[in-house]
Amino acid sequence: MNPGYLEQPGGGGGREIQFLRPSLVEFMNCQNVTLEGVKIKDSPFWTVHPLYTKHLVLKDLHIENPADAPNTDGIDVDSCEDVQILNCFVSVGDDGICLKSGSGPDGIRVNRPTDGVVIRGCTVRNAHGGIVLGSETAAGIRHVLAEDCDLNGTDRGIRIKSRRGRGGDIFDIELKNLKMENNLCPIALNMYYKCGITDTKSPLFSLEKQPVTAETPRIHDVKISGIKATSCRASAGFIAGLPEMPIDNLEISDCYFSTDESSAESPMNSDMFYGLPVVTEKSFRILNAPGAKFNNVKIEGPKEAFIYK
């Protein structure tokens, strides 16, 4: 049954058993859906997973999974259109509120983006990422607004993750007025995402330019503002684009970041990646994002505010 399962993708941790654990609540090919005022606990995998759904409201949900339970994302909006996520509480063992659009060649073939999402007034705890885009980005993610959320204690507050082979155009993303404390890293934009790959020397993680194909992801036109992030344990921020597809038109403004210089966390734990040079300062790290603009951004703690490598 299910031959070849060891070579099949299975979330960040890979496929260790013959079949995937199931999502707990899933809407597929639906329209005009409202899920409101429900408490959902102890999902074996992704908790609320709308797929190919239009005109969706998720409101006043309470989602709670053990902090050490793998792949137990709170909300995974997957190839959906016109979505509102309002006043939800999420405390889980993987990403909190996450937007996806299919994975790799199959997701590119299906070509159903996630388009038009508002996330407002939500609280996320314990998750690997608070508000997340990816890492399944094949059909693209666009026209997203996230604002007025509390992301204290998540590993990464804002997280956009993909890699070569995953494809997708990620653009028109606005993230503003987000509160964070005691994160590993408040902002991580990562095109060297490693999970599901064991070969650390793979060309997927090369620092040299690779051919641009339909499977090359792109991140551009991202605005981040009004972030207050204190006691960041690994770094003040992490941005890593691809040399053949740099992160373009990124604006970060009116933000404050402070690092916990007494923390033993390495800046290499800012996100999950392979192939990047070692750094030792908890600075805001920027690689392959030449047009990034920082306006009224204050960073306290590290000796160098920014590292470009």
Side-chain angles (χ1 to χ4, degrees):
M1 296 175 68
N2 198 19
Y5 71 92
L6 289 173
E7 283 72 47
Q8 296 172 3
R15 180 69 63 88
E16 298 173 351
I17 56 176
Q18 201 164 13
F19 298 100
L20 286 172
R21 288 162 279 128
S23 300
L24 190 56
V25 178
E26 188 169 69
F27 302 99
M28 183 174 180
N29 289 316
C30 297
Q31 294 192 40
N32 304 315
V33 175
T34 297
L35 182 65
E36 181 177 359
V38 179
K39 185 173 184 178
I40 307 170
K41 292 188 64 177
D42 297 335
S43 175
F45 192 63
W46 298 350
T47 308
V48 176
H49 179 218
L51 176 66
Y52 306 152
T53 292
K54 296 181 180 181
H55 314 309
L56 169 70
V57 177
L58 304 174
K59 184 177 180 182
D60 296 326
L61 303 181
H62 183 109
I63 296 172
E64 190 173 344
N65 299 324
D68 61 351
N71 305 126
T72 55
D73 297 19
I75 297 170
D76 282 308
V77 173
D78 200 347
S79 296
C80 296
E81 299 178 35
D82 184 19
V83 179
Q84 297 183 66
I85 304 172
L86 308 173
N87 303 320
C88 294
F89 176 88
V90 178
S91 179
V92 294
D94 208 316
D95 287 329
I97 299 171
C98 189
L99 311 182
K100 302 177 181 290
S101 65
S103 183
D106 184 66
I108 293 170
R109 177 188 60 80
V110 174
N111 192 30
R112 297 188 65 168
T114 285
D115 187 351
V117 180
V118 173
I119 304 167
R120 181 179 293 124
C122 293
T123 299
V124 183
R125 296 285 184 266
N126 295 316
H128 290 332
I131 294 171
V132 182
L133 283 68
S135 62
E136 296 86 352
T137 57
I141 301 169
R142 59 204 190 197
H143 310 317
V144 176
L145 169 64
E147 61 182 354
D148 302 327
C149 294
D150 179 344
L151 310 176
N152 290 348
T154 59
D155 286 348
R156 297 114 197 142
I158 297 166
R159 191 182 196 195
I160 302 177
K161 51 180 177 171
S162 191
R163 65 167 175 257
R164 295 175 176 118
R166 299 236 159 174
D169 192 4
I170 302 168
F171 68 96
D172 189 20
I173 311 299
E174 185 172 6
L175 309 160
K176 64 181 185 179
N177 301 334
L178 307 175
K179 180 174 68 173
M180 308 178 203
E181 183 177 354
N182 193 33
N183 308 87
L184 284 175
C185 177
I187 297 172
L189 277 61
N190 178 13
M191 297 177 80
Y192 282 81
Y193 183 64
K194 73 179 185 180
C195 288
I197 301 290
T198 58
D199 179 8
T200 62
K201 304 298 184 181
S202 168
L204 295 174
F205 308 109
S206 173
L207 292 173
E208 301 298 324
K209 287 185 177 181
Q210 303 296 306
V212 174
T213 71
E215 296 181 14
T216 304
R218 185 184 180 200
I219 300 172
H220 61 104
D221 294 286
V222 178
K223 294 183 179 181
I224 299 172
S225 64
I227 307 300
K228 183 177 182 181
T230 58
S231 300
C232 304
R233 292 175 285 126
S235 73
F238 174 86
I239 297 170
L242 297 171
E244 69 272 17
M245 190 62 74
I247 296 172
D248 187 35
N249 199 19
L250 169 65
E251 297 182 16
I252 299 178
S253 60
D254 302 319
C255 293
Y256 172 82
F257 306 98
S258 70
T259 56
D260 179 359
E261 293 297 309
S262 68
S263 171
E265 288 284 357
S266 166
M268 299 298 283
N269 293 332
S270 295
D271 204 2
M272 301 171 180
F273 56 83
Y274 287 139
L276 302 186
V278 174
V279 297
T280 57
E281 290 289 331
K282 298 180 187 292
S283 310
F284 201 121
R285 182 178 188 177
I286 304 163
L287 177 70
N288 296 323
K293 298 176 182 178
F294 293 84
N295 302 310
N296 191 30
V297 174
K298 185 175 183 179
I299 298 173
E300 290 188 341
K303 294 178 182 178
E304 297 179 69
F306 297 93
I307 293 177
Y308 292 87
K309 65 178 180 179

